Amino acid sequence: TAHHSFNKIINFSNYRIQNVETYRVQSGDNIGGIARTQYSTPVWLLRQYNPGLDFNRIQIDQEIIFPVLEQVN
């Protein structure tokens, strides 16, 4: 749910970067939506991993690095 994702962003200190995955953009993709639903990654963190990427000009077949988060207690 949206509330659940919001809590993850607020409690980011409870997470660590476990790995990174390369995602290839497909037609109709919404990068913010993918970050939220598939990776639970805040967009500000996604931008840090893709500093040269213009998020307003995403191209099909472009590769984006997604950090994979893991919850720590």
Side-chain angles (χ1 to χ4, degrees):
T1 64
H3 182 71
H4 184 63
S5 296
F6 183 72
N7 284 342
K8 285 185 178 180
I9 294 167
I10 295 298
N11 298 320
F12 188 73
S13 60
N14 295 337
Y15 289 79
R16 67 185 172 117
I17 313 289
Q18 177 190 22
N19 202 350
V20 294
E21 286 185 12
T22 302
Y23 180 86
R24 188 177 297 272
V25 177
Q26 300 168 27
S27 178
D29 277 351
N30 175 306
I31 299 308
I34 291 166
R36 230 176 8 259
T37 59
Q38 290 186 22
Y39 294 96
S40 298
T41 300
V43 172
W44 64 263
L45 183 61
L46 192 59
R47 289 183 191 276
Q48 288 188 338
Y49 275 78
N50 299 275
L53 190 63
D54 181 349
F55 280 78
N56 297 317
R57 297 194 174 162
I58 302 291
Q59 304 289 322
I60 293 173
D61 284 338
Q62 195 164 3
E63 292 187 343
I64 300 176
I65 305 297
F66 278 90
V68 179
L69 301 179
E70 177 181 63
Q71 188 167 9
V72 293
N73 294 331

